[in-house]
Amino acid sequence: MTKITMIGAGNLATHLCRALIKSGHEITQIYSRTVYSASNLGEEINVSYTTDIKSIKNSDLAIIAVNDDSIQDIEKHIDFPKVHTSGTKPISTLNGKNIGVFYPLQTFNKNIDVNFKSIPVCLESSNRDLLQTLKNLAVSISDKVIELNSEQRKNLHLAAVMSCNFSNMLYRLSEELCQKQGIPFDILQPLILETAQKIKNSSPSLAQTGPAQRGDFETIAKHLKLLGNDDEKKEIYQLLTASIKKRQ
Amino acid sequence: MTKITMIGAGNLATHLCRALIKSGHEITQIYSRTVYSASNLGEEINVSYTTDIKSIKNSDLAIIAVNDDSIQDIEKHIDFPKVHTSGTKPISTLNGKNIGVFYPLQTFNKNIDVNFKSIPVCLESSNRDLLQTLKNLAVSISDKVIELNSEQRKNLHLAAVMSCNFSNMLYRLSEELCQKQGIPFDILQPLILETAQKIKNSSPSLAQTGPAQRGDFETIAKHLKLLGNDDEKKEIYQLLTASIKKRQ
């Protein structure tokens, strides 16, 4: 059992608290800048909370789960082992000898339940003892624990933006195309889900289908014509089609 | 029970035959240009097969499940009710009074089992009677049946390319980024799957997250710097980031 101080009371902090308590760890204190968030989470999990950074008490580990820009302001008040949870900030954002990173790779929303077991947790630490503590903590809540340095984590975050935030943008473009034609967007959902599931047992390069992959230039020309004077969608269509063709 | 002639013995024809038989319909004959495909499917489902287009016998309905470019060559030999299964070809690709479209929206692979019930089937027909036959057939194998005209279907196909083929391309780019850093790509899979699942109960515009959506210009600048001289990924990053920002 690790005794943990949770710094932050947002989406990630909330899900982390729930998962850690479920796995038998103790949250000893919650800090948040806003009373509303602090009290909400504190009351949910029955833990004392504070909005005064100077009244944070020592524990085995502080998990700093706040937005990237606030990490440095907060971390200087914590002089016991501490980790941040950011995908983009290097470990050196923290000061001291017992510092680390505990980065769960997922999008979180307080009101949507997640199965933490399936969420990869990426770890980094300034020393072996703390790394071992973090590993024990991570494997108790997740089935996928991996050690990554700051450079790797930064690139992983970029890859996540590419494959997830940008995929969602493509879903939006395709929803716009459907709406314009009075087609309910939900009929695309089984195909979208199948596309995401396909790469579980295969690599994305093997899973590639579509006119660009087949070299079906007639269909590509028809699609570009369909897009008419929608230059934005046309440019995205051409760019991604070229990327597929380039890799054949 | 509808008696059906299956024209084609590829991925879609195979899955359609399996689903139709399961729902109590009768496949009376299979045609394929290649003996290998025809005999494989014919033997699997115990139905007589032919490679001679002139020996196709009448049935209630011919389902033409061949590649787009072969539809016209084949359809002229069929003088009983017939449908094609293409997403991009208009209904007018077929000639006669009893023509239609039966377009299941999914990617198929002979060796991967699909739950046909969840696959949307898009219908179009030249007349009401045939449309009713197609509806009965479609609802017996799928829970999602929708009537779309040729213009709508063509746009739906374009939307499918946008949201699925292009998403897969983004997965490939992100796999490349991971490989370069020695990061196993599979740690992105839970996030990719969650992104695809999120839009089930929400619209893609509500589900949008990431630095472009948050207006986090520092992270965007860092990502572009990380991409160094990889102009292809940079261009895609900038274009999709601009699309997200434009819609805020």
Side-chain angles (χ1 to χ4, degrees):
Chain A
M1 187 188 79
T2 310
K3 293 188 176 193
I4 296 157
T5 307
M6 186 60 67
I7 309 294
N11 289 323
L12 174 57
T14 301
H15 282 289
L16 262 178
C17 281
R18 289 176 189 159
L20 289 165
I21 291 170
K22 212 173 146 190
S23 299
H25 303 286
E26 190 188 339
I27 311 293
T28 53
Q29 195 182 19
I30 292 160
Y31 163 83
S32 169
R33 267 174 309 184
T34 62
V35 186
Y36 178 77
S37 301
S39 62
N40 257 2
L41 181 56
E43 280 159 20
E44 181 193 319
I45 62 172
N46 200 23
V47 166
S48 73
Y49 54 86
T50 180
T51 55
D52 175 13
I53 192 76
K54 284 171 190 157
S55 69
I56 291 178
K57 293 171 207 138
N58 277 24
S59 71
D60 296 334
L61 179 72
I63 297 183
I64 305 175
V66 300
N67 65 63
D68 286 6
D69 297 339
S70 310
I71 297 174
Q72 282 189 304
D73 272 353
I74 288 173
E75 78 88 26
K76 61 186 174 204
H77 298 283
I78 300 166
D79 54 9
F80 52 99
K82 55 193 167 187
V83 292
H84 74 62
T85 53
S86 163
T88 52
K89 291 283 177 183
I91 187 172
S92 58
T93 311
L94 304 178
N95 288 296
K97 284 184 182 164
N98 280 304
I99 57 173
V101 179
F102 192 95
Y103 171 50
L105 181 64
Q106 188 55 283
T107 61
F108 293 97
N109 186 308
K110 274 183 204 177
N111 306 315
I112 299 173
D113 247 11
V114 291
N115 173 15
F116 225 103
K117 284 277 167 203
S118 69
I119 299 173
V121 178
C122 310
L123 301 179
E124 184 175 5
S125 178
S126 60
N127 69 70
R128 285 198 183 182
D129 282 354
L130 181 57
L131 184 63
Q132 196 52 53
T133 304
L134 298 180
K135 274 187 187 166
N136 294 345
L137 204 61
V139 297
S140 78
I141 60 171
S142 164
D143 290 335
K144 287 202 182 193
V145 177
I146 186 168
E147 210 181 319
L148 294 182
N149 63 36
S150 294
E151 187 65 18
Q152 287 175 314
R153 195 175 56 257
K154 217 162 54 177
N155 277 278
L156 176 63
H157 184 257
L158 169 59
V161 168
M162 278 273 184
S163 54
C164 298
N165 298 152
F166 290 173
S167 280
N168 188 72
M169 183 60 227
L170 294 173
Y171 304 157
R172 289 170 81 173
L173 295 177
S174 117
E175 186 182 36
E176 288 175 11
L177 289 168
C178 286
Q179 277 168 343
K180 212 175 155 188
Q181 292 285 330
I183 304 167
F185 175 64
D186 69 353
I187 71 168
L188 271 169
Q189 286 178 346
L191 185 55
I192 285 174
L193 211 55
E194 177 69 16
T195 303
Q197 270 163 345
K198 246 185 175 177
I199 57 165
K200 258 190 165 177
N201 304 309
S202 166
S203 100
S205 33
L206 293 174
Q208 189 68 58
T209 58
Q213 179 69 14
R214 284 194 306 274
D216 180 352
F217 300 109
E218 204 183 308
T219 299
I220 292 170
K222 271 188 200 170
H223 283 167
L224 289 170
K225 205 176 151 197
L226 264 185
L227 289 171
N229 51 13
D230 188 337
D231 291 336
E232 181 197 31
K233 291 194 183 68
K234 256 185 179 164
E235 208 181 334
I236 291 172
Y237 190 101
Q238 282 167 321
L239 204 55
L240 288 165
T241 292
S243 289
I244 295 172
K245 281 199 255 171
K246 201 179 123 185
R247 280 165 183 79
Q248 279 187 307
Chain B
M1 187 187 81
T2 310
K3 294 187 175 193
I4 296 157
T5 307
M6 187 59 68
I7 310 294
N11 289 324
L12 174 57
T14 300
H15 282 290
L16 262 178
C17 280
R18 289 176 189 159
L20 289 165
I21 290 170
K22 212 172 147 191
S23 299
H25 302 286
E26 190 187 338
I27 311 293
T28 54
Q29 195 181 19
I30 292 159
Y31 163 83
S32 169
R33 268 174 309 185
T34 62
V35 187
Y36 178 77
S37 302
S39 62
N40 256 3
L41 181 56
E43 280 159 21
E44 179 192 321
I45 61 171
N46 198 23
V47 167
S48 73
Y49 55 88
T50 179
T51 56
D52 175 13
I53 192 76
K54 283 171 188 158
S55 68
I56 292 178
K57 294 171 208 138
N58 277 23
S59 70
D60 297 334
L61 180 71
I63 298 182
I64 305 174
V66 300
N67 65 62
D68 285 6
D69 297 338
S70 310
I71 297 174
Q72 282 190 305
D73 272 353
I74 288 173
E75 78 89 26
K76 61 188 173 201
H77 299 282
I78 301 165
D79 55 7
F80 53 99
K82 54 193 168 188
V83 292
H84 74 62
T85 53
S86 162
T88 52
K89 291 283 177 183
I91 187 172
S92 58
T93 311
L94 304 178
N95 289 297
K97 283 184 181 165
N98 280 303
I99 57 172
V101 180
F102 192 96
Y103 171 50
L105 181 64
Q106 189 54 285
T107 60
F108 293 97
N109 185 308
K110 273 182 204 177
N111 306 316
I112 299 173
D113 247 11
V114 291
N115 173 16
F116 225 105
K117 283 278 167 202
S118 69
I119 298 173
V121 178
C122 310
L123 302 178
E124 184 175 6
S125 178
S126 61
N127 70 70
R128 285 199 182 181
D129 281 355
L130 181 57
L131 184 63
Q132 196 52 54
T133 304
L134 298 180
K135 274 187 186 166
N136 295 343
L137 204 61
V139 297
S140 78
I141 60 171
S142 165
D143 289 335
K144 287 201 183 194
V145 177
I146 186 167
E147 210 181 319
L148 295 182
N149 64 36
S150 294
E151 187 66 17
Q152 287 175 313
R153 196 176 54 257
K154 216 163 53 178
N155 278 277
L156 176 63
H157 183 256
L158 168 59
V161 168
M162 277 272 184
S163 53
C164 298
N165 298 151
F166 290 173
S167 281
N168 188 71
M169 183 60 227
L170 294 173
Y171 304 157
R172 290 170 79 173
L173 295 177
S174 116
E175 187 183 36
E176 289 175 11
L177 289 168
C178 287
Q179 278 167 345
K180 214 175 153 186
Q181 292 284 330
I183 305 166
F185 175 64
D186 68 354
I187 72 168
L188 271 169
Q189 287 178 345
L191 184 55
I192 286 174
L193 211 55
E194 177 70 15
T195 303
Q197 269 164 345
K198 245 185 176 179
I199 56 164
K200 258 191 166 177
N201 304 310
S202 166
S203 100
S205 34
L206 293 174
Q208 190 68 57
T209 58
Q213 179 69 15
R214 285 195 305 276
D216 180 353
F217 299 109
E218 203 183 309
T219 299
I220 293 170
K222 271 189 202 169
H223 283 167
L224 289 171
K225 204 176 153 198
L226 264 185
L227 289 171
N229 51 12
D230 188 336
D231 291 336
E232 181 197 31
K233 290 194 184 68
K234 256 186 181 163
E235 208 180 336
I236 291 171
Y237 190 101
Q238 282 168 321
L239 204 54
L240 288 164
T241 292
S243 289
I244 295 171
K245 280 200 253 170
K246 201 179 123 184
R247 280 165 183 77
Q248 279 186 308

